[in-house]
């Protein structure tokens, strides 16, 4: 599989005189494009294994965003009970983020290919669990 900028493919089609955009035209143009520029490097699709930690990274990002939203809510409310409720939910989100980090590490360390990359990336100062997992995925 090769990934190219869609605008580049569209401009190539226009240069060939194909102003319409249909599946048939796109297929023909992309075939000619691939033949005209054979030096493109094929991209290996992410394996099904890497979809699992990638999905967990998405969950983690949403938990962090919700946590930030709760912090803003706690700052905006004046009632002591409301502030306490936001703290309880925030603590639960913090716990989930820690659990997701652990799950990501476990998934990656159980795979020989990614485990070595994990160890190398984590050895770099300033690179944490989330960034390491994102680079591997």
């Amino acid at each position: 599989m090769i990934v190219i900028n869609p605008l580049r493919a569209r401009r190539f089609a226009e240069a060939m005189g194909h102003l319409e955009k249909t599946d048939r035209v796109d297929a023909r143009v992309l075939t000619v494009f691939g033949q005209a520029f054979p030096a493109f490097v094929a991209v290996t699709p992410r394996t099904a294994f890497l979809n699992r930690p990638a999905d967990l990274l998405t969950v983690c990002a949403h938990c962090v965003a919700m946590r930030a939203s709760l912090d803003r809510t706690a700052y905006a409310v004046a009632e002591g009970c409301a502030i306490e409720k936001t703290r309880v939910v925030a603590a639960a989100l913090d716990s989930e983020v820690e659990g997701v980090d652990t799950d990501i590490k476990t998934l990656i360390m159980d795979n020989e290919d990614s485990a070595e990359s994990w160890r190398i990336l984590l050895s770099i100062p300033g690179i944490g669990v989330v960034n390491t997992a994102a680079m591997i995925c």
Side-chain angles (χ1 to χ4, degrees):
M1 176 172 71
I2 295 176
V3 179
I4 63 168
N5 183 335
L7 181 60
R8 188 171 184 187
R10 184 73 227 137
R11 295 279 163 79
F12 185 79
E14 290 169 356
M16 289 177 55
H18 297 289
L19 302 180
E20 69 279 2
K21 181 160 178 19
T22 65
D23 289 345
R24 179 171 276 163
V25 169
D26 287 348
R28 190 173 337 128
V29 167
L30 290 173
T31 299
V32 174
F33 186 92
Q35 292 167 346
F37 300 101
F40 278 104
V41 178
V43 175
T44 305
R46 186 169 58 197
T47 63
F49 153 74
L50 289 177
N51 286 334
R52 291 168 42 209
D55 289 345
L56 287 173
L57 281 171
T58 301
V59 170
C60 186
H62 285 286
C63 285
V64 170
M66 287 189 289
R67 176 67 164 87
S69 177
L70 279 171
D71 285 344
R72 289 188 299 275
T73 301
Y75 181 77
V77 296
E79 181 70 32
C81 179
I83 292 172
E84 184 57 33
K85 294 290 183 191
T86 58
R87 287 188 183 139
V88 168
V89 175
L93 283 171
D94 289 343
S95 176
E96 279 304 309
V97 168
E98 288 176 20
V100 168
D101 286 350
T102 302
D103 291 346
I104 290 170
K105 180 180 177 184
T106 301
L107 281 171
I108 291 174
M109 293 304 285
D110 285 348
N111 181 288
E112 281 183 35
D113 296 332
S114 61
E116 183 62 22
S117 297
W118 178 270
R119 284 188 281 278
I120 291 169
L121 289 168
L122 271 182
S123 71
I124 301 170
I127 303 293
V129 171
V130 173
N131 287 332
T132 299
M135 284 187 263
I136 288 173
C137 292

